[in-house]
Amino acid sequence: MYSRELDGGTYTFGVSGKLWRDALVMYDHQTRSLWSHITGEAIQGMLKGKNLKILAAMPQIDWRTWRLNFPRTKVLSVPIDLFDKTVTIEEQRRDSYARYHAGPETGVSGMWYSDARLNNKALVVGVKHQDQHRAYPFSAFGRQPVINDRVSNVPILVFHEKRSRATAVYNRTVDGTPLEFAWSRDYFAVDSSGTIWNLITGLATEGKYKGKRLERLPSINLYWFAWARYHPDTTIYKQ
Amino acid sequence: MTHTATAEEDYSGDTIRTLLPFDGIPAIRNPQFVAADEAKLGDNAPVIGVNFNGEQHAYSIYLLNGHEIVNDVVGGIKIATTW
């Protein structure tokens, strides 16, 4: 999720059909510069070296949980005729991605890149703050969907819940004080003051901080090999 | 395999490779939205959700597979949602 505003200008983006380090390359319609979809950096063209601002989003969540928390949400609708030939072509392309996700290869183009610290296709939550990168393997959230940690000395809460598939990263400082969180139930956590927080909306629902909202931080869900390839200096969270 | 393709074999992987023409996968430039009640999504359908300034948009990941990028505005923030 990126801002389309850069240095006072507004850009729109398309799919270049190219891959760099085996991930999607976007282009902007205004200058046709090429941009990495993983880092938000322009890798070729007039804007080479510029970085798009990364914004916080819910990278993946089931529709039921999203809707329950945000009943007024709008939903993307693509008015296409399902019998249109172009859809068939898209579905063929989708199939090639499906094979990729199912197989052990790390590159769509059949190349291999490996960082043996985790399995190539272990899914991780990637967090970047200032110059520090840290990966939180999905497997670390087994019994405890809430992790209290620090990255670049910023106290953060990393949340990943298997049932709703929701992932969120928050700054766990509230009113100048870093709080410690423990999982309560579903997507709710309780802090050291006994306040209950909804980790989908970031809002405190009961207790001392009721009505306060945690600050969302950007993160990305992706395969370990891809995270490690773009950020070889990354550390891995260990319990 | 042509000689050109062979020359591009580069195990650092930093070569930019071309798989499809520009816009071979059509990004969405003018997204249309419906209310939650009108969305034809199953309870377990995966979506990407954004929430800026009290406004929320959800994007079905199944739809994003065919478009990969949505150029959007949410709560006054101009965003590119990518998948």
Side-chain angles (χ1 to χ4, degrees):
Chain A
M1 181 74 51
Y2 295 104
S3 167
R4 296 193 284 109
E5 290 183 293
L6 179 75
D7 299 338
T10 299
Y11 295 87
T12 52
F13 294 88
V15 181
S16 71
K18 299 174 193 306
L19 295 177
W20 182 63
R21 297 185 183 178
D22 285 308
L24 177 72
V25 174
M26 315 187 281
Y27 77 100
D28 68 77
H29 296 121
Q30 288 69 32
T31 73
R32 291 181 86 82
S33 299
L34 300 181
W35 300 82
S36 162
H37 140 79
I38 304 282
T39 64
E41 184 181 357
I43 55 174
Q44 198 179 85
M46 231 177 92
L47 298 175
K48 184 175 177 175
K50 296 278 186 185
N51 283 283
L52 297 174
K53 186 182 176 198
I54 304 173
L55 302 173
M58 183 66 74
Q60 188 168 338
I61 183 170
D62 69 43
W63 166 237
R64 179 185 166 276
T65 310
W66 180 259
R67 179 186 186 169
L68 200 63
N69 284 281
F70 297 110
R72 291 189 306 144
T73 188
K74 300 280 196 218
V75 185
L76 178 69
S77 160
V78 178
I80 44 163
D81 176 358
L82 283 173
F83 299 99
D84 189 318
K85 281 180 193 142
T86 57
V87 174
T88 315
I89 294 164
E90 278 176 15
E91 281 171 350
Q92 286 166 0
R93 288 184 190 125
R94 211 172 298 161
D95 281 350
S96 64
Y97 280 113
R99 279 199 300 278
Y100 164 64
H101 286 295
E105 301 84 9
T106 55
V108 172
S109 54
M111 282 194 331
W112 290 78
Y113 176 89
S114 213
D115 179 324
R117 287 181 287 168
L118 292 174
N119 288 332
N120 276 337
K121 288 203 174 164
L123 281 162
V124 303
V125 181
V127 176
K128 175 187 179 182
H129 194 78
Q130 293 169 6
D131 288 335
Q132 272 195 37
H133 299 96
R134 185 163 295 162
Y136 298 82
F138 275 24
S139 59
F141 299 92
R143 284 187 187 161
Q144 168 59 285
V146 172
I147 290 173
N148 296 278
D149 200 12
R150 277 176 187 270
V151 174
S152 283
N153 216 32
V154 174
I156 65 168
L157 178 171
V158 186
F159 167 68
H160 175 73
E161 198 234 343
K162 296 239 180 305
R163 200 191 50 77
S164 65
R165 285 172 287 182
T167 306
V169 179
Y170 294 100
N171 186 330
R172 57 187 168 84
T173 308
V174 178
D175 290 349
T177 308
L179 304 176
E180 289 281 325
F181 289 79
W183 182 59
S184 165
R185 63 183 170 87
D186 301 329
Y187 43 83
F188 291 91
V190 57
D191 70 24
S192 24
S193 77
T195 301
I196 306 287
W197 298 83
N198 176 330
L199 297 181
I200 306 293
T201 62
L203 276 171
T205 56
E206 290 170 47
K208 180 180 170 187
Y209 295 111
K210 184 175 177 176
K212 295 264 182 194
R213 188 189 292 274
L214 296 171
E215 178 201 357
R216 281 290 295 272
L217 301 173
S219 65
I220 182 169
N221 288 2
L222 79 180
Y223 290 127
W224 161 247
F225 78 87
W227 176 254
R229 185 170 193 182
Y230 283 86
H231 305 295
D233 63 330
T234 187
T235 54
I236 301 169
Y237 172 80
K238 286 194 181 65
Q239 277 137 310
Chain B
M1 188 181 285
T2 67
H3 284 292
T4 316
T6 310
E8 279 178 5
E9 288 299 328
D10 168 3
Y11 287 89
S12 73
D14 276 350
T15 313
I16 298 171
R17 288 158 189 278
T18 300
L19 261 71
L20 295 169
F22 279 86
D23 303 319
I25 295 173
I28 298 177
R29 286 183 77 166
N30 296 296
Q32 308 293 312
F33 292 88
V34 296
D37 283 346
E38 297 167 52
K40 294 178 180 69
L41 290 175
D43 279 353
N44 291 318
V47 301
I48 293 177
V50 296
N51 176 25
F52 294 121
N53 301 322
E55 190 178 352
Q56 300 90 32
H57 282 184
Y59 315 87
S60 155
I61 285 174
Y62 301 142
L63 280 183
L64 291 182
N65 276 332
H67 298 280
E68 296 195 345
I69 301 172
V70 182
N71 292 279
D72 201 0
V73 182
V74 181
I77 313 278
K78 293 167 184 159
I79 63 169
T81 299
T82 67
W83 170 246

